[in-house]
Amino acid sequence: MALKMVKGSIDRMFDKNLQDLVRGIRNHKEDEVSDRRIKQELKQDNIAVKANAVCKLTYLQMLGYDISWAAFNIIEVMSASKFTFKRIGYLAASQCFHEGTDVIMLTTNQIRKDLSSPNQYDTGVALTGLSCFVTPDLARDLANDIMTLMSHTKPYIRKKAVLIMYKVFLKYPESLRPAFPRLKEKLEDPDPGVQSAAVNVICELARRNPKNYLSLAPLFFKLMTSSTNNWVLIKIIKLFGALTPLEPRLGKKLIEPLTNLIHRYGGRCCFFHSRLVKCLLGGSLSLFPDARCLCVQKLRILIEDSDQNLKYLGLLAMSKILKTHPKSVQSHKDLILQCLDDKDESIRLRALDLLYGMVSKKNLMEIVKKLMIHVDKAEGTTYRDELLTKIIDICSQSNYQYITNFEWYISILVELTRLEGTRHGHLIAAQMLDVAIRVKAIRKFAVSQMAMLLDNAHLIASNTQRNGICEVLYAAAWICGEFSEHLEEANQTLEAMLRPKVTTLPGHIQAVYVQNMVKLYASILQQKEQAGEKEAAQEITQLMIERLPQFVQSADLEVQERASCILQLIKYIQKLQVKEVPVAEEVIALFAGELNPVAPKAQKKVPVPEGLDLDAWINEPPSDSESEDEKPKTIFHDEEQRHSKPRHPEMDEEELARRREARKQEQANNPFYIKSSPSPQKRYQDTPGVEHIPVVQIDLSVPLKVPGMPMSDQYVKLEEERRHKQKLEKDKKKKKQKKEKRGKHHRHNSLHTESEEDIAPAHHVDIITEEMPENALPSDEDDKDPNDPYKALDIDLDKPLADSEKLPVQRHRNAEALKTPDSEAPPVEKKSKKPKKKEKKHKEKEKDKGKKKEKEKKVVEEEEEKKKSSKHKKKKHKKEKEEKSKDKKKSKKKHHHSEEEMAESVQNGTLDDEPLPVSSCVLATYDIQGNLQNDSQVTVSVIFENKSTSFLKSMELNVLDSLNTKMLRPEGSSVHDGIPVPFQLPPGISNEAQFVFTLQSIVMAQKLKGTLSFIVKNDEGSTHEKLDFKLHFSCASYLITTPCYSDAFAKLLESGDLHMSSIKVDGISISFQHLLAKICFHHHFSVVERVDSCASMYSRSIQGHHVCLLVKKGENSVSIDGKCSDPTLLSNLLDEMKETLSKC
Amino acid sequence: MRFVLLFSRQGKLRLQQWYRAGAERDKRKAARELMQAVLARKPKMCSFLEWGELKVVYKRYASLYFCCAIEGADNELLTLELIHRYVELLDKYFGSVCELDIIFNFEKAYFILDEFVMGGEIQDTSKKSVLKAIEQADLLQEEDESPRSVLEEMGLA
């Protein structure tokens, strides 16, 4: 026994590793054997054997075997301690786990363990695996762990963590807001891999919901100008492509760097071009016609290239341009038509797409003619179907705008019916109906064409079952019936509709036939009666009575019902006719009135009347207990009986015969059962088989081309002649100096370009617009797909985080370590889990501390470091600090008008923009905001506006740092270096740049002196200019408007660790409401509660100081009591407030 | 990117990585359809194929087709570049790679792909850092595989 086991193991060890399996499969295909062996191996305790087995399974899975039964074993291997096995386990999991795998929830803890493993490759392999099979549950449970990893010390892990966040967001959208600040941080990660990962993720997010990411534009702009990584550049350019339509100002800014990029890469990187073009299209391009022409020209070169890939991309890019600027593409029609002849289907399809936008009144016929030729030549139904839909799309676009001759269009549609095996019969039918109903002038022609179609129905319906084209008969029958007054040979058409062959058509078409033959019959009857041909009228009635029974026996209920109803009606008419009573008027009255087209969305747009709640119950629903207990039982019981009988498998002949008898008996007694009538026609219908259908009816001598069918080509010629004539006439008129407009269009919605106005439509056509209900609500919401997975990610990212938005954390593991970026304590966090290992890492870190700004640093350390450096700087700047600056500011206050502009760019709802000084050429306004993610940083957004007529460039902003406040400069630059403004300003243009300042203490207001230097360039040359200014950091600018609930507010006040101070301002005349608004606006407070003329307000500083206010209004005075964790901050804030209020 | 497929000229799947988990049956059906569509195309045709709502970018290297399915808004040439880079990585790793390398060491091919692309997004654009990560992981694996006693190997220890 033992020997056997040993032997088995040796076998496995020596000859059944993966390679052997692969070899075995390649040689013999004896998969079954190895399959069984693997199962045996999985049962072993030895993890190595198990891992080997799982590895083999992964291979087998690729060959098409279902290995889901081994899911549990895979998890076992995943949890192996050795990397070798873990790797295999995760690989197998990534291949075969999905949301339906039930054991997947068992992996949560294992993955969490691996994520926090000290070995970075363990973590990496877990992240990679997770990215393939992440489920909403896993995403929710692990989101916080992954977020922690985003600030891991190793870039390898950071990179992976950032990437996987995208998957997590998709599965668990709630995680987006808490994680976003950190993700944004990673855009500026020192490691290029992490940076590109972050760009990737944000670009993907932004592409779906661009409007939420507009505020990141400046950051990406910076990245674009600084990055040298092509992959990242392409992503960013794509992102801007999505952003520009929302922010037109961006387009202008982008022009310059993009042109630089084009020049840098020249023709080498063609894919830049196509990307570029897409991006430039954001509407902004219309401002730069030159650039557009250039693009289209370059694209033409691409399309003419022999490389098929470039050709394809050229066409693709052109179709993007087409959407916004059809005119510039139209000149390349020749090229695109040429592409239709390409062998490659992908290219042909692209070219087809382009054609759609290129048609005009002038060239529609020509283009469609070419397409028709292609339809004839096309191999393969998919491409032919595509052509067909495109032809119809092209012709019907924007309310048939480009069709000048509807006779031509009808004949095109009729020609299309000759296509065999197309799936789009219903499309053609819908077009026929639409045109016939909405274009009144064409009805006569349409009816004659449709009559012809009905007459030749056997050509169309030759192979009913698989032939979608017979749908057109539906349209033909309806049109002939509805507009029968236009029919010349009504008798003949009626005959055609009554042919026995019709009964082989699908039910719904037959139903339309039956209904419409009555309409036809009615109009014939009227004709004959008016002409006094009584016999002819009776003949036609007789014909109906003879032929209708074949429809009465139809298997289709609808047909049967209509036919038997009508048959009775006609029999009655016959009786009246025999009595020589005139009936036609009454019969025709059945179909009086006109059917108007109704817009497809009409029903949806009916406004809900006031006071009607559609969601409310009209009657309360019955209680659950009742319905569940009793009713269903009986129903199920009944149904079971009914269903089980016919399914009974062992039904012997006798039983069957007995039942048949019983059924016949039942039928005989049932007055509603239509019994088979003994008419001769009936009999051949009863017997199945085609041979009984009389052959006489089929007109075999019909040539392949439908007789008398108008060829659309004729219309093309006719149209040309007509246009020529028109032109001549017009010329004549011009000579006579008459500026009469010809061919006034009656069409709705038609847009004419000047060149097209020359062509008047052949008929004066009136397209009836589709009917809409009165007071229809205009809305475009219907277009959005509610199932779009990205819709859930449409989240406003600029709103400050609420406490409730923290990511779920498993409390028992590290309850204190949980952290989201919004919480108040500085981000030390999370690393307390494994102190031992952390220590090690910490040492490593300290070595390169100078370079990296890691968040994990202990706050104490950080502060120490800052103190050191600030001492150092103190010496340098002492002098400069003392310097008094000219106070230009006040005189410039009048420039407050740029507030509107600011409001757009300001996030966070905080607003305090103050004008910086102006020279003759520059006006700058700025706004200071606290940085949510960093407690010692504020962002100053400055808007520069060029007021002069010259071009401003090489702008550079420099500030003299103070002890407390320093401008954040790029690494390696000294405190004397200015920061270049990343753009140039053409005359009259304004643009925004952001500068980050770090500060130590925020309890005092600060003023910084600075200089803006720039070069003014105009026709005469360029001069270098300087402008001094002062930045005023008020205490209020360190506050962040934070909502607070009254109970939390009360607790805060009760806690007693707040210092108190108060002020009183007299001479206030504005209303209390107005006053509160002013405080909220200028000082970033939010109102907690308001009772009469008393209100409590709250705000928080970027360093987490709570500030509470109690504002009371007396007569002509206001008193403010403040409480704050820092007394200095409070008194400074109150002083600022006093100043604001005293101005009221 | 939705998925990556590698298959031979004979229509044998050599590697598949799906970045959106789905039922086995759907995956297999999609792979089969796609292989048919790609194999039917002639060599001179362009590398792009519109396939339902997705776009397929493929390229043939010797007897192997490398094939990526991307969404409409993704960049086609970038994907082509990505395929090429993956091939380069394989080539560097195996030393002039051939189909047999991928058949017999398919798990390595997967590991390389996973280091290069994650969750459908390019993870690292630098070839060097991808290869470095793979090498180090392999090193770690070799350490693991330090000699064990025969008995342990047999599962008797």
Side-chain angles (χ1 to χ4, degrees), chain A residues 618-635:
Chain A
I618 297 174
N619 297 313
E620 281 301 313
S623 68
D624 287 350
S625 57
E626 211 183 331
S627 56
E628 258 173 30
D629 290 347
E630 292 156 34
K631 280 181 192 164
K633 250 185 192 170
T634 55
I635 290 169

Side-chain angles (χ1 to χ4, degrees), chain A residues 134-315:
Chain A
V134 59
T135 63
D137 283 344
L138 280 176
R140 191 193 57 231
D141 294 341
L142 295 171
N144 195 54
D145 300 70
I146 297 170
M147 209 168 92
T148 317
L149 289 178
M150 276 166 70
S151 27
H152 197 270
T153 46
K154 298 252 171 63
Y156 178 79
I157 301 296
R158 286 210 300 274
K159 176 177 77 184
K160 283 180 187 271
V162 167
L163 273 181
I164 202 178
M165 268 332 252
Y166 179 59
K167 292 271 160 184
V168 173
F169 294 152
L170 282 179
K171 296 285 176 189
Y172 178 54
E174 289 87 338
S175 62
L176 179 57
R177 272 171 48 75
F180 193 71
R182 192 166 294 180
L183 189 61
K184 208 163 111 187
E185 235 166 61
K186 294 296 151 214
L187 283 177
E188 291 170 306
D189 197 277
D191 184 86
V194 184
Q195 197 184 37
S196 83
V199 169
N200 257 341
V201 171
I202 294 188
C203 286
E204 282 303 308
L205 288 170
R207 211 172 74 196
R208 317 289 182 186
N209 304 297
K211 66 175 190 308
N212 298 331
Y213 298 85
L214 263 180
S215 58
L216 289 180
L219 194 59
F220 276 108
F221 195 83
K222 205 174 92 193
L223 276 177
M224 186 171 79
T225 43
S226 61
S227 176
T228 51
N229 185 338
N230 284 351
W231 305 68
V232 171
L233 273 179
I234 290 168
K235 282 272 175 189
I236 296 179
I237 293 177
K238 194 157 73 178
L239 171 74
F240 277 125
L243 290 183
T244 31
L246 299 170
E247 177 55 277
R249 284 183 297 173
L250 252 178
K252 290 182 216 155
K253 289 193 205 177
L254 285 172
I255 290 289
E256 194 204 326
L258 286 181
T259 5
N260 285 345
L261 283 178
I262 296 187
H263 288 312
R264 181 144 39 115
Y265 293 95
R268 190 162 54 87
C269 254
C270 291
F271 63 114
F272 256 123
H273 289 303
S274 60
R275 248 333 121 193
L276 205 80
V277 169
K278 280 187 198 175
C279 155
L280 288 177
L281 285 169
S284 57
L285 199 61
S286 51
L287 301 168
F288 302 89
D290 296 347
R292 193 173 66 227
C293 282
L294 190 84
C295 281
V296 180
Q297 284 306 325
K298 290 221 165 169
L299 285 179
R300 192 181 167 103
I301 297 170
L302 283 189
I303 296 172
E304 281 168 341
D305 201 287
S306 60
D307 183 1
Q308 296 281 43
N309 285 348
L310 292 185
K311 193 179 259 186
Y312 176 88
L313 290 171
L315 288 170

Side-chain angles (χ1 to χ4, degrees), chain A residues 87 121 156 167 309 346, chain B residues 19 46-48 115 136 141:
Chain A
R87 208 181 188 187
Y121 293 103
Y156 178 79
K167 292 271 160 184
N309 285 348
S346 298
Chain B
Y19 296 112
C46 70
S47 300
F48 315 114
E115 281 303 324
Q136 292 198 331
Q141 181 164 347

Side-chain angles (χ1 to χ4, degrees), chain A residues 814-830:
Chain A
N814 44 356
E816 276 173 50
L818 103 116
K819 190 91 306 193
T820 47
D822 66 322
S823 47
E824 285 150 25
V828 201
E829 45 153 27
K830 287 161 220 158

Side-chain angles (χ1 to χ4, degrees), chain A residues 1068 1093 1112-1119:
Chain A
I1068 304 280
S1093 58
K1112 280 185 230 159
K1113 188 173 187 314
E1115 263 180 64
N1116 286 335
S1117 73
V1118 173
S1119 68

Side-chain angles (χ1 to χ4, degrees), chain A residues 99 187 383 432 618 690 795 821 871 898 1000:
Chain A
E99 272 176 46
L187 283 177
Y383 179 59
M432 286 174 170
I618 297 174
V690 200
I795 296 168
K871 266 177 207 161
S898 46
Q1000 292 274 289

Side-chain angles (χ1 to χ4, degrees), chain A residues 1099-1136:
Chain A
S1099 184
R1100 213 181 70 191
S1101 79
I1102 54 170
Q1103 292 185 351
H1105 301 106
H1106 302 281
V1107 190
C1108 309
L1109 294 183
L1110 184 65
V1111 185
K1112 280 185 230 159
K1113 188 173 187 314
E1115 263 180 64
N1116 286 335
S1117 73
V1118 173
S1119 68
I1120 301 176
D1121 295 314
K1123 277 193 171 184
C1124 175
S1125 30
D1126 189 294
T1128 335
L1129 176 66
L1130 181 62
S1131 69
N1132 282 327
L1133 272 174
L1134 288 179
D1135 285 348
E1136 282 172 20

